Structure formats: structure tokens, C-alpha cells
Amino acid sequence: MDANAPAAGSRHEREWWLRALAVLQAPRAVFAALGDDSDDAAGARQEPVLALVFLAGIAGVLLTGARGRFLDDPAIDSVLVAVLIFLTGGIYGAASYWLGGGALHLGVRAAGGRGSYRRARHVLAFAAAPLVLTLVLVWPVRLALYGTDSFRSGGADEGAGGWILDGAAAAFALWSFALLVYGISVVERWTVVRAAVALALVLLGLLVLSFPLVIPLSSR
């Protein structure tokens, strides 16, 4: 047994933790490294992927309109809101990772890609890094300005300041989308246009699948 193997494994894991941050500044190098889909490489980046998925899930829950009504129910207090965001964020992140990763994989394959389902999930996770930034750049400001009004209807955050913060969060979400397109183009060695078409196929497929569910709801 190679005595240097554990040390090498720890070094590779540290490198992937650093790449979870570097994807915001040097995405090409990070997504190019995702091209190595061996079991060892995938295992080394598993913990950063898990962290990105979980934190992006929380950020995604905070982007929804439902967040602004959590405290409308008098039975829910601030502590319970924090627990709900934590739990639903984990569920939302996991669902996006497994189901969204599967949809991304199918869309890329439909466009002629050769990547694995695992690599598609990892590309999705690293592309979500800008969403995580909302937790450290947008939400501390929002909570400092508006406190619990951020979680109830008719709060002080419904003015221009709240709209600006919502716009900032949306900008980070668009950054994630653009990073996903770019990540696909790098790992598949495609043009950005071809990667965008593949992602459009994913979105179109999801729209078609959700259409039978939307019609009954809209007819009520």
C-alpha cells in the first residue's frame, strides 16, 4: 500500500475546496479540471460539491416568493423560520442536484455530449457558486436593514430598498446560469452557443414535462 496515498488524497481535496472559490474568478480552469471524471477525482471533490449544493439550496429557497410569507402565520416564529429554511434548503438543493443534474445530463447527451451523469451533477454544483454568494453579500444586508420583515407580507422591505436587494439576488442567479452555460462549453469542448442550445433543450424538456401539471392547476 502506498503510504503517500492519504496525503495525496488530502491535497486533492484541499485543491477542490479552493476551486469552489476559484470558480468565481477563474471558471475555465475549474471546469477543465472537472473533465477528469475518474472515481478518485470525483471522490476528492465530493465534499465541496455537497457544501455547494446545500448552500445553493438555501439560497434558492430564499429567492422564492414563499419566503416573504413565512411569518404571516402567527404559529411560526423566527427560530422556526430558520429551521424551515435550513431543512427546505437541503431538500431543494438535493432535488436540484439529482433531478436537475439528470435533466442536464440528458440535454447535453441530446446535443451530442459524452459526459457522464456524475460530471453533469458536478458541473451544476460548481455553477451554483454565485448563488451561495447571496448568503454572504445580500442577506446580511437585508437582515440588517429589515430584520424579520424580510419574511412577512407588507413589511418594510417592500419598498425600493427591498427591490434593489431582490434585483441583486436575481443578478447572482443569472450569473449562475451563465456559469452553467460556460461550464458545459468547457467540459464538453463546445462553443458557448452550442452549450446554450443544450441547456435550452433541458429547459424545454422540463417545460414539456411540467405542462400536464400546470394545466389542471390553472383551470381550477
Side-chain angles (χ1 to χ4, degrees):
M1 182 176 180
D2 187 354
N4 294 323
S10 297
R11 185 180 71 253
H12 291 155
E13 290 174 6
R14 287 194 299 271
E15 288 174 353
W16 278 107
W17 279 110
L18 292 173
R19 285 173 178 145
L21 299 174
V23 72
L24 300 168
Q25 292 184 317
R28 172 171 286 278
V30 175
F31 287 120
L34 287 173
D36 182 358
D37 196 35
S38 65
D39 290 342
D40 288 342
R45 59 182 178 249
Q46 194 60 50
E47 290 185 4
V49 164
L50 179 62
L52 286 168
V53 167
F54 179 70
L55 293 174
I58 292 176
V61 169
L62 292 173
L63 277 171
T64 65
R67 175 268 305 165
R69 298 188 297 273
F70 282 164
L71 287 176
D72 288 358
D73 186 342
I76 298 178
D77 59 16
S78 299
V79 174
L80 186 54
V81 165
V83 173
L84 285 172
I85 292 172
F86 185 85
L87 293 178
T88 55
I91 294 170
Y92 183 73
S96 298
Y97 178 67
W98 292 102
L99 300 179
L104 179 61
H105 173 61
L106 292 176
V108 169
R109 295 286 289 186
R114 299 180 179 274
S116 68
Y117 173 37
R118 178 171 63 188
R119 190 171 75 178
R121 298 195 311 269
H122 288 186
V123 170
L124 183 63
F126 276 89
L131 275 179
V132 177
L133 282 183
T134 64
L135 301 179
V136 295
L137 296 180
V138 176
W139 273 95
V141 175
R142 183 166 206 135
L143 292 175
L145 291 175
Y146 304 115
T148 56
D149 278 357
S150 299
F151 304 102
R152 58 167 54 94
S153 300
D157 67 327
E158 293 197 355
W163 298 338
I164 291 171
L165 291 170
D166 286 340
F172 281 106
L174 288 174
W175 184 4
S176 281
F177 184 83
L179 203 56
L180 180 57
V181 172
Y182 185 70
I184 295 169
S185 73
V186 172
V187 297
E188 295 293 341
R189 298 180 181 178
W190 290 348
T191 64
V192 172
V193 172
R194 185 176 178 184
V197 169
L199 193 53
L201 288 174
V202 174
L203 297 176
L204 180 60
L206 292 175
L207 181 63
V208 170
L209 289 174
S210 64
F211 188 72
L213 301 176
V214 173
I215 293 300
L217 290 174
S218 62
S219 63
R220 291 180 182 178

